[in-house]
Amino acid sequence: EDLHDPLDLGLTPDDNVRAIWMAGTYRYFTDFVTSIVGPPVVPPTPEVTSIRVGKLPARVVERSTVRMTARLFSATSGHPAVNAEVTMFSRHAGGLVWSRVDSARTDSTGLVSLRSPMILNNTELMIDWPGDERWTPVQTAPARIIAVAPYGL
């Protein structure tokens, strides 16, 4: 076999460099069975996602909408989850079935703002992020909002 010493590129063990090489038999330019190989590619471990929700009103006037803001970020490093599409769900307080009501993407700081539909009775809202290859899934606890008649405040 025709082996050559590796090239010294001045890299340290901490450098994030991938190497590839030719493997197989090569007798002549018309007589070879080779392929390009390299180290196994290990998928990245997703960062543990944390979500922080802004203050929500406990009571609103019937037929009002509520804006729910949240910030998604890494629980370990604090880095924001940028361009993550999160979804807001709504249900009658104590109900079993959640309905999708809005979705939006986080900005460069991990901030997202979602708007609820009209609140007609006691309602619970929740934000859900299903996760991806970089971030783990996360969702908020249900936030209960009580709708009151306009004269009941």
Side-chain angles (χ1 to χ4, degrees):
E1 286 189 33
D2 189 11
L3 297 177
H4 296 279
D5 292 333
L7 296 173
D8 181 8
L9 300 177
L11 301 173
T12 66
D14 293 335
D15 290 331
N16 187 11
V17 175
R18 301 277 186 247
I20 59 172
W21 58 89
M22 296 293 292
T25 58
Y26 185 92
R27 290 189 171 79
Y28 193 64
F29 78 95
T30 59
D31 183 16
F32 60 92
V33 179
T34 60
S35 60
I36 297 175
V37 296
V41 177
V42 178
T45 303
E47 291 202 52
V48 176
T49 310
S50 187
I51 188 167
R52 185 173 299 141
V53 178
K55 288 193 84 144
L56 286 171
R59 295 173 170 259
V60 296
V61 175
E62 272 183 334
R63 300 188 174 281
S64 295
T65 62
V66 174
R67 186 153 298 274
M68 191 173 189
T69 58
R71 188 174 309 275
L72 272 72
F73 56 94
S74 166
T76 52
S77 70
H79 293 122
V82 177
N83 202 31
E85 186 172 352
V86 297
T87 305
M88 176 192 276
F89 292 90
S90 172
R91 72 177 177 190
H92 295 295
L96 298 176
V97 179
W98 290 96
S99 299
R100 181 186 179 279
V101 295
D102 195 14
S103 71
R105 291 193 173 274
T106 58
D107 66 11
S108 62
T109 66
L111 186 68
V112 66
S113 182
L114 302 154
R115 202 181 106 196
S116 75
M118 287 190 301
I119 308 263
L120 299 174
N121 51 26
N122 296 345
T123 301
E124 291 178 327
L125 300 173
M126 173 192 62
I127 293 179
D128 179 66
W129 159 242
D132 62 14
E133 66 279 353
R134 292 193 51 226
W135 300 92
T136 59
V138 67
Q139 62 183 218
T140 62
R144 182 172 288 195
I145 298 172
I146 299 169
V148 295
Y151 51 84
L153 287 177

